[in-house]
Amino acid sequence: MDDAANGLTPTLQNGSESLQIQVEVHQKLDSIAMKEDIKLSVLKLLNRHNVVFGDYKWTEFDDCFLTNNVQSVAIVDTELKLKERQPISLSRCSLSIHIFHLNEEGPRAENLDEEDEAIVAANHWVLPAVEFHGLWDSLVYDAQIKADLLDYVTTALLFSDRNVDSNLISWNRVVLLHGPPGTGKTSLCKALAQKLAIRLSDRYYYGQLIEINSHSLFSKWFSESGKLVTKMFQKIQESIDDKNALVFVLIDEVESLTAARNAVRGGTEPSDAIRVVNAVLTQIDQIKRYPNVVILTTSNITEKIDMAFVDRADIRQYIGPPSTAAIFKIYLSCLEELMKRQIIYPRQQLLTLRELEMIGYLESDVSKLSLILKEISRKSEGLSGRVLRKLPFLAHALYLKSPNTTMAAFLQALSLVVDKQFEEREKLSDCV
């Protein structure tokens, strides 16, 4: 087995390009074991379990050292490289092993002193954080959105490492995720920061996520907002100066800080907004020189963003409502959790869409429930990911109400609650 040092190690060649597998090792909080010792034990574990089918996680070990020091060992993100679930021979792969602790402290507030009041300008997490553990896996998208975002940051770091002349080839370390509300844009930004803090843990000692409270930076005092933005970025600069930290700056609903200046000049926005946009653009241009910072932004209404900011975004990724295939995956993960907690009992094996396709969608005792779930997924199109994650709870609360239920009964309740969602949406639309 080849053990790559970190996520930036080139893929190894064994006659042909070998698959690079990411292995995330969650070290227990009270463990003081050396990373090298943990890595050696993990390699022995992977030698004993040489073939896996896609992503896989170990939480129980037959090795006392791992039991005492490690919470879990997980092979992750294989779906970003493979089009379908298939056996993977680890001995033929390049392994990148990432060992991490989770920070349990939670966010701290970043305050700006203004006149006689303290303004809460941002929330600040040390990464990887307990709060975001598992968030990446819970977000389901159709396209290669996750892979593209990971590759973008990897390339930005590579170009910095090789001292690529930014006057000849430009990149600004800015990501813009845009699309309708409820599609998981903010969650994806937080999950990406968490994932990269783990993926690059050999390179940076820890990560930092600074989520700017955009609305708090608009001062009640005329012309002060631009100064507040500058003060906020000065505080961010203190974090960036720590070369051991990988810093992520998250600006949610970025249009509130970067309103289009042509609208402002037309008199539809207060003139103070021009100072805010100029301050944001100036600060981005200043911090883009630093190799250890990435700016993550989201927007529900991109047409209101100043084009000078849009042009600075290296990636402008649309995040839309999930398709039938993505909805099926979301429901599948929800049902798996309910079976794990024995709310749905007894446990029943559900087929994936790929497995249904392989049998030609023919109904049998094995495929019947999975085909019902496929139909529920089809009629759920148009609902956001945020709503979809609530529906299993609502299905139980409104139609079941018992401590446990069968899969067939639960799917019937889920179908009813989907219908109810669209009925309520139609009624709300009629009222409007």
Side-chain angles (χ1 to χ4, degrees), residues 210-407:
I210 304 169
E211 182 180 19
I212 293 177
N213 184 352
S214 303
H215 300 290
S216 72
L217 296 182
F218 277 104
S219 173
K220 63 183 179 181
W221 307 108
F222 181 73
S223 81
E224 289 299 308
S225 298
K227 294 177 183 177
L228 288 176
V229 169
T230 301
K231 281 185 181 180
M232 182 66 252
F233 275 91
Q234 286 171 350
K235 289 185 77 72
I236 291 170
Q237 183 66 55
E238 295 172 9
S239 296
I240 296 171
D241 288 339
D242 182 356
K243 303 307 178 189
N244 290 318
L246 179 59
V247 180
F248 298 91
V249 180
L250 170 56
I251 310 176
D252 203 15
E253 298 181 13
V254 71
E255 64 272 9
S256 62
L257 286 184
T258 56
R261 283 172 290 185
N262 58 357
V264 175
R265 293 189 184 101
T268 59
E269 296 283 347
S271 59
D272 194 25
I274 294 178
R275 297 183 180 89
V276 173
V277 178
N278 290 337
V280 170
L281 297 177
T282 299
Q283 295 303 318
I284 288 174
D285 290 340
Q286 287 181 2
I287 67 175
K288 73 178 183 181
R289 306 191 307 269
Y290 297 88
N292 61 324
V293 61
V294 179
I295 298 173
L296 307 170
T297 66
T298 73
S299 176
N300 298 330
I301 39 179
T302 48
E303 66 272 15
K304 290 194 173 182
I305 304 176
D306 193 272
M307 280 307 300
F309 176 83
V310 175
D311 288 343
R312 281 167 171 78
D314 302 313
I315 288 185
R316 298 182 287 273
Q317 177 66 58
Y318 176 75
I319 309 290
S323 69
T324 297
I327 293 169
F328 188 93
K329 285 184 180 180
I330 291 171
Y331 283 154
L332 210 57
S333 68
C334 294
L335 294 170
E336 181 61 36
E337 175 66 12
L338 292 173
M339 286 190 286
K340 180 180 177 182
R341 306 303 172 187
Q342 295 190 341
I343 291 174
I344 295 178
Y345 186 83
R347 172 177 285 276
Q348 290 186 262
Q349 182 65 41
L350 291 170
L351 303 180
T352 65
L353 281 181
R354 173 64 179 162
E355 289 165 339
L356 287 173
E357 182 184 353
M358 289 173 66
I359 63 171
Y361 302 104
L362 293 175
E363 184 174 328
S364 67
D365 290 342
V366 175
S367 65
K368 183 177 180 180
L369 293 174
S370 302
L371 289 169
I372 292 172
L373 182 60
K374 178 177 176 291
E375 175 58 24
I376 295 171
S377 301
R378 184 200 61 76
K379 71 175 184 176
S380 299
E381 278 195 21
L383 298 177
S384 70
R386 182 185 298 162
V387 170
L388 291 168
R389 291 283 180 190
K390 291 179 182 177
L391 294 188
F393 170 81
L394 293 176
H396 188 279
L398 297 178
Y399 299 107
L400 295 168
K401 306 175 186 178
S402 60
N404 51 58
T405 184
T406 64
M407 179 66 75

Side-chain angles (χ1 to χ4, degrees), residues 80-181:
L80 302 185
K81 296 178 178 291
L82 302 171
K83 291 184 179 179
E84 58 187 61
R85 196 168 181 264
Q86 62 188 63
I88 300 169
S89 176
L90 297 179
S91 61
R92 298 179 181 179
C93 298
S94 170
L95 299 181
S96 295
I97 298 178
H98 315 287
I99 301 168
F100 65 94
H101 286 97
L102 286 177
N103 185 282
E104 296 185 333
E105 293 180 1
R108 74 171 189 265
E110 293 286 359
N111 296 324
L112 297 179
D113 295 325
E114 182 67 9
E115 296 293 333
D116 57 348
E117 62 180 331
I119 297 173
V120 180
N123 286 317
H124 191 158
W125 287 267
V126 174
L127 302 175
V130 168
E131 186 171 341
F132 307 133
H133 190 51
L135 182 59
W136 178 265
D137 296 326
S138 74
L139 298 169
V140 179
Y141 299 102
D142 300 300
Q144 289 292 305
I145 292 173
K146 289 180 174 180
D148 290 346
L149 291 173
L150 287 172
D151 290 343
Y152 159 71
V153 178
T154 299
T155 297
L157 290 168
L158 174 67
F159 276 42
S160 296
D161 287 347
R162 302 292 174 87
N163 294 317
V164 174
D165 189 339
S166 59
N167 293 314
L168 297 176
I169 300 177
S170 176
W171 71 100
N172 295 301
R173 307 177 183 281
V174 178
V175 174
L176 172 60
L177 304 184
H178 62 97

